[in-house]
Amino acid sequence: MRVRTSSVLAASLVLALSAGPLAAPAFAAPPTASAATHRSHGPDADALRAALAMVPGEHATAALVRVGGTDSGWRGSAGVRDLAGGRPAHPNALFRAGSVTKVVTAATVLRLAAGGDVDLDAAVQDYLPGLFTAEFDKPISVRQLLNHTSGIQAGDGLGDDFAELYAHRFDTRTPREEVASAIAKGPEFDPGDQQDYLNINYTILGLLIEKVTGRSYAAEATRLVLRPAGMRHTYFPGTDPRVRGPHNRGYQAVERPGGTTELLDVTEWNQADRWAAGDMISTTADLERLLTSLFRGHIVPEPQLEEMFTTPAGLPDATRSAGLEYKKVGDQVFWGKSGSRYGYSALIGGTRDLSRTLVYSVNSTDAKSAEANPVLDAITAAALK
């Protein structure tokens, strides 16, 4: 199964600009840090409150927002913890961060590279002998896994649509099973020729981390990233389908016969197959710590940190780097990562100089849809004004 990977970061930033007086510009090559322009005003607090006033509603049942920067900050929450009880949403709730996990995985690999344990230019086939078939006769570098230019195809997963996935939500599919199904398909293109965002790249990076260190992915990511960033409430659930600790329940809108829509509770879900690509549970405060610590160079040192702000050479339309993606909005360049699991949408992002940052968790009722979500768009537009 090819996982649908609509970019919430890019789409929301486009809509943020279309709501204002400027038109959204096309992607451009990332400027250097010195070209960033410092913001002289804070986010639109009234617009942020208006965005949260949409929750709970058709598109989301809860929302948590943190806007930061050098000028001012803003915090807010809205919605309910669960539809049955109707209690106000927990403002410090844990939630599924989805593909924001890739930021942690990339940072872990880059920390290992900084320590001399991983060579970004070396072939992953050399690190993981026996994993690839003879069809992968061209070397795939670790860097190409990080920036999604490996040419490896997507794994099969546990289903092709929501109904099938939901039926298997308590089943365990191991990362190695997911990788084996992807490798069996052979390469999609030669390494470096294209950029194709897929979870499988980061699943293989998880295997690489374990092979190089001799320890579990969760242990190494915690040691090298979570702990230095002060992310005390973030963890990797593995095969545990629960969200441990205070949380707001997630729901998926499902159309029923007769034109009715049911909100199905999707909070409990075994996400083991997402692993190093999307299995992290976190809080908005912890993700804000990750963003600021990372951008300040407290987690990944130079020159490895530059990998997170560099798109692959020779691919002018590429927007993804090691763990992040960028969008140019007016005279600002925003770097970040979105993530979604059923019932949960998350985003972290900001300017490289941290003059403006945004972290949110929204309990979207159709989190995996490629369609725009008005709540996400309104939050992003207000935060970036």
Side-chain angles (χ1 to χ4, degrees):
M1 181 190 72
R2 185 181 179 87
V3 180
R4 180 165 47 184
T5 55
S6 59
S7 171
V8 175
L9 176 67
S12 293
L13 288 173
V14 168
L15 289 163
L17 278 200
S18 65
L22 299 174
F27 280 103
T32 61
S34 61
T37 303
H38 178 72
R39 289 180 173 271
S40 59
H41 58 84
D44 189 331
D46 289 340
L48 283 166
R49 284 189 286 269
L52 292 190
M54 301 166 64
V55 183
E58 176 186 357
H59 301 285
T61 58
L64 314 175
V65 179
R66 299 176 74 91
V67 183
T70 52
D71 36 30
S72 63
W74 193 91
R75 308 284 182 269
S77 63
V80 294
R81 297 187 191 189
D82 61 89
L83 294 179
R87 294 175 297 166
H90 197 297
N92 301 310
L94 289 107
F95 53 84
R96 299 191 187 281
S99 286
V100 175
T101 308
K102 293 182 177 68
V103 180
V104 171
T105 302
T108 302
V109 173
L110 294 174
R111 280 288 306 271
L112 292 172
D117 297 311
V118 170
D119 180 351
L120 300 182
D121 294 313
V124 67
Q125 291 98 322
D126 294 337
Y127 283 109
L128 297 168
L131 184 68
F132 291 85
T133 64
E135 290 182 86
F136 291 86
D137 55 349
K138 293 181 171 60
I140 300 168
S141 71
V142 176
R143 180 179 284 106
Q144 287 166 337
L145 290 175
L146 285 166
N147 64 26
H148 300 280
T149 59
S150 69
I152 302 168
Q153 299 194 58
D156 290 335
L158 285 166
D160 293 323
D161 56 26
F162 171 75
E164 192 173 357
L165 290 167
Y166 183 76
H168 292 283
R169 67 192 183 280
F170 296 126
D171 295 349
T172 295
R173 182 173 174 81
T174 68
R176 283 197 171 271
E177 289 174 325
E178 188 72 2
V179 171
S181 70
I183 297 300
K185 299 175 183 179
E188 182 180 15
F189 53 82
D190 285 346
D193 280 3
Q194 302 176 40
Q195 186 172 73
D196 189 11
Y197 174 79
L198 291 173
N199 285 330
I200 197 66
N201 293 298
Y202 277 68
T203 305
I204 295 174
L205 285 172
L207 297 179
L208 171 70
I209 290 167
E210 294 196 334
K211 182 64 180 292
V212 167
T213 66
R215 293 179 287 273
S216 73
Y217 163 78
E220 282 302 282
T222 299
R223 179 178 73 90
L224 294 175
V225 181
L226 304 192
R227 196 171 295 141
M231 301 170 71
R232 297 184 298 277
H233 303 290
T234 300
Y235 72 99
F236 304 95
T239 59
D240 187 349
R242 302 167 298 166
V243 179
R244 302 195 301 267
H247 59 278
N248 303 317
R249 300 194 73 80
Y251 299 89
Q252 171 66 28
V254 178
E255 291 186 11
R256 296 304 188 193
T260 60
T261 299
E262 176 187 0
L263 287 179
L264 233 126
D265 193 323
V266 291
T267 309
E268 275 78 44
W269 200 304
N270 180 346
Q271 309 275 351
D273 61 326
R274 300 300 90 187
W275 197 42
D279 190 32
M280 187 170 70
I281 289 176
S282 192
T283 67
T284 54
D286 270 9
L287 291 185
E288 188 175 63
R289 292 184 186 101
L290 172 64
L291 182 70
T292 55
S293 297
L294 193 59
F295 282 27
R296 287 171 179 159
H298 297 165
I299 306 298
V300 178
E302 292 286 359
Q304 288 75 26
L305 180 60
E306 201 60 33
E307 297 285 340
M308 305 195 83
F309 300 100
T310 303
T311 54
L315 298 176
D317 294 328
T319 61
R320 298 181 185 276
S321 60
L324 300 175
E325 61 178 304
Y326 82 93
K327 180 67 183 180
K328 191 170 186 293
V329 181
D331 61 355
Q332 296 288 321
V333 176
F334 291 91
W335 291 90
K337 188 72 191 74
S338 59
S340 63
R341 304 307 305 149
Y342 285 110
Y344 299 88
S345 298
L347 181 140
I348 67 171
T351 55
R352 188 169 179 182
D353 65 359
L354 296 173
S355 59
R356 178 63 50 82
T357 63
L358 169 62
V359 176
Y360 68 58
S361 166
V362 175
N363 292 59
S364 301
T365 56
D366 199 4
K368 300 298 287 183
S369 173
E371 300 297 321
N373 184 314
V375 175
L376 306 186
D377 299 338
I379 291 170
T380 307
L384 302 183
K385 279 189 177 179

